[in-house]
Amino acid sequence: MAIEYDYVIAGGGSAGCVLASRLAKNSCASVCLVEAGGTGRNIFIKMPAGNGFVFGNPKLDWGYSSTPQKELNNRQIYFARGKALGGTSIVNGMIYMRGIPSDYDQWSQMGLQGWGYSDFLPYFKLAEGSVRRKSYFHGNNGPLRVEPARNFGKLDQAFIQAAIAAGHKNIDDFNGVHRTGVSRCDSTVYRGVRQSAAIAYLNQIPDNLTVITNSHIARILFRKRKAIGIETMNGKKILAGNEVIICQGAFGTPQLLMLSGIGEAGHLRSHGIDPVLNLPGVGQNLADHLDVSIQYGSTRMDLSSAQHQRLDKAALLMGKWLFNGSGPGGGSLFSTVLFHALEDPAMPELQVYMTPMIIDENFKNGENERVPFFQRLGRKLLVRGRKVARPGVQIDINQERPRSSGNVQLLSSNPLQYPMIDPNYLADNRDLTELVRGVKDMRDVMSQSNISQFLTGEQGAWADARTDKEIISAIRETAYTGHHPCSTARMGNDSDLGAVLDGELKVRGIEGLRVCDASAMPTQITGNLYATVVAMAEKAADMILGRNPLVQEEKRGSE
C-alpha cells in the first residue's frame, strides 16, 4: 500500500537536504526525502582530507563518464557525483564561493523576477554560518558553517606573492565587493568536519520529516498531467498530496524526467517511453567549467601536501583528526584561488586553483598506480585521484562562462543505466582562444621568483608547449571537468522555448512538479556551485510554502 506525504523530495543532494529541512521545520506539513545512496555519515565524508576515499568509491560516488570528447583527443571525462545524503557536497572541494552579482542579475534580466543578486543575497546570508566574517555580505548563524581554508602554507603564500608581483590584486573576500584577484579562500569546513548539506541541515530530523535512504527512484507517477508521487526500483510507491520536487542534479534530474515521460517526444519514443509531455529542453543546455591543468615539479616534499601520504605521516594526520579534528586532516584540498579577468575586472573569465602537490584527477586517464603496501592508506589522503600525489604545484585554470554547451540523453529506459553525457567541450573555438590567453597569463605568475624558486619546471604535456599550437595541443591532452555541471532543466521566461521550468521552479505543463538543483540554473555562474544551490533551495522552500521572500536590509557605512 502506498504511503502519502504532503511533499516528496526525490534526491537527497545539496538542494534536497536543504529543502527537506526547511519544509519540515517551517511548516506542519509531512515531508519525505528519498535518496538512492546511504546516510552520508561515513568517517571519510566527515574528514576533509578523506576525499580520496569518497571520490571514485562506487558506494559513495555515482562515477559518471562523458562520451568521448572530440576536441579533447576523444578522451572520456570522469564526473564524480556524490551518492549519499548530501549529494555532491560529500565529494566537492569544500570551497565556499558564490557567483558574481551580474550572474544572478542576468537571470532577472532574462525575465526571471525574484532571481537577481539582491534577491539571492538574503538567502546566502540565511544559509551561511561564517565563523570569521562580519559584514553586510555574510551570515553568521546559518546551518552551513564556513571558515578560512585551513591548509594554507608556504606555497600558498608564495603563490599569492607571485600573483601580486605579476599585477594581480590581493583581496580579502571573494564574496564581498570585489571578485577579481587572489586570496585565501573560505571553506565549508567547521572544526575539522566537512559541512555537507546533510551534516549542515539534517543533523536533527524533525518528527514530520521521513528520510528514506538506499532507495533508487525509477519514475515519477502521474495522474494525467499532475505529478502524484514517485515509484522506487523495488516497486514501492510514495505519494505526494501537494508536490513532488526533483533534486537529483544536473545528470540525474533530466534522466528521471525523461524516464518518466517528460522530454523530447521523439527521443522518449526511441527508448519505448510514452511521452507524458513533449518538453524538448530537458537534458539540453548542459554547461560546465572546463579545467586546464598545468603541473610544476618540485624537490620540496617538505612543502607539499603529498608528504602526508607517507604511512607514518598519514597515521599522524588521522590520529590528530580523530582526536579533536585538528591538523591538515581537517582542511580541504584547496586553500588559495585567483580570479583572472581578461577584459572586464567585474566579470573574470577564469578561476584558478593552486594546489601544493601534483595529482591526476581524471580517472579516465589511467588506472590505479602500483605503490608499496605501506603507502596504500596515505595515497588517498588530501587528493581526489587514483595516482600517488607528488611534490610540486598544480595550477587548474577553470573557464567560468564557456560558450560551448552539451546535453544529457537516455541510453535506455532502464533507470539503473547511466545516461549519455556529452558536455561538448571546446565546440566553440572562442573558448579555446580564451584558455590560451589564460595559460599565458598564469605562466607569467608562475615565472615570478616568489614561487618559481620552489619549482623545477613544467611537466608532462606542458614541458615543451610554447607556441599557440603547442599550448592548444597541451590543453586538448590535459583538460577535464571543473566539476560544476548545470542548466540541464533550466528556468526560463514564458517565451523561452528551451526552458523546462518557470520562475517558480515548476515544470512547465505539469501540475505539482518542481525541480530544485543545479539543473535548474538558467546559466552557468562565475564560481563553485554549492553555495548557490543551497541558497536556491532556501529560496525555493519559501516559494513552496507561500512565504514572503526575504528582503535584504540596507547597506550601512563602509560595509
Side-chain angles (χ1 to χ4, degrees), residues 443-456:
R443 279 178 159 172
D444 181 34
V445 171
M446 300 305 288
S447 70
Q448 304 297 319
S449 60
N450 310 78
I451 188 74
S452 65
Q453 62 178 307
F454 301 112
L455 308 176
T456 58

Side-chain angles (χ1 to χ4, degrees), residues 76-328:
Q76 287 181 272
I77 304 302
Y78 184 87
F79 287 100
R81 300 281 96 188
K83 186 180 182 182
L85 287 177
T88 300
S89 67
I90 73 169
V91 73
N92 66 10
M94 292 163 279
I95 292 177
Y96 182 79
M97 191 76 68
R98 307 166 185 170
I100 57 176
S102 59
D103 291 332
Y104 310 113
D105 288 341
Q106 180 187 359
W107 297 0
S108 180
Q109 291 158 11
M110 292 166 62
L112 295 168
Q113 188 175 3
W115 290 99
Y117 176 69
S118 62
D119 304 300
F120 252 113
L121 185 57
Y123 290 100
F124 280 123
K125 295 171 70 170
L126 175 68
E128 185 185 13
S130 177
V131 301
R132 187 187 75 168
R133 300 198 182 277
K134 309 285 186 183
S135 82
Y136 169 82
F137 298 99
H138 291 278
N140 303 110
N141 302 311
L144 184 61
R145 307 306 295 270
V146 176
E147 63 184 27
R150 178 178 296 187
N151 291 324
F152 184 78
K154 192 168 184 177
L155 286 177
D156 296 275
Q157 294 167 358
F159 177 76
I160 289 177
Q161 291 164 0
I164 294 169
H168 296 271
K169 185 177 180 180
N170 186 15
I171 62 178
D172 174 63
D173 181 7
F174 284 121
N175 298 302
V177 177
H178 302 291
R179 174 60 60 89
T180 298
V182 65
S183 182
R184 182 181 186 175
C185 59
D186 286 349
S187 183
T188 52
V189 174
Y190 179 61
R191 293 182 176 174
V193 176
R194 170 195 287 272
Q195 297 299 290
S196 74
I199 290 171
Y201 279 85
L202 297 180
N203 200 32
Q204 293 182 325
I205 307 294
D207 292 340
N208 57 333
L209 171 60
T210 299
V211 179
I212 300 174
T213 57
N214 299 302
S215 192
H216 194 116
I217 297 170
R219 65 189 179 106
I220 306 164
L221 300 173
F222 297 99
R223 184 180 297 122
K224 295 185 178 179
R225 287 193 176 180
K226 175 178 171 60
I228 60 170
I230 56 101
E231 183 177 351
T232 64
M233 287 298 295
N234 63 8
K236 183 176 182 179
K237 294 181 179 180
I238 303 171
L239 303 182
N242 292 345
E243 291 189 20
V244 176
I245 307 152
I246 310 301
C247 304
Q248 297 196 163
F251 305 143
T253 286
Q255 181 186 23
L256 180 59
L257 289 171
M258 288 186 283
L259 288 171
S260 306
I262 299 174
E264 199 280 315
H267 179 59
L268 301 183
R269 290 193 182 100
S270 72
H271 292 290
I273 299 170
D274 293 330
V276 172
L277 179 67
N278 179 30
L279 204 55
V282 175
Q284 300 303 306
N285 308 296
L286 171 61
D288 188 23
H289 292 152
L290 183 62
D291 184 333
V292 171
S293 184
I294 307 176
Q295 297 177 337
Y296 294 81
S298 175
T299 60
R300 297 295 301 273
M301 178 65 89
D302 61 313
L303 300 180
S304 174
S305 296
Q307 66 179 295
H308 300 292
Q309 293 195 329
R310 205 174 78 185
L311 182 63
D312 58 338
K313 294 201 173 187
L316 181 62
L317 178 149
M318 286 283 293
K320 282 185 174 180
W321 183 81
L322 287 167
F323 180 66
N324 61 3
S326 65

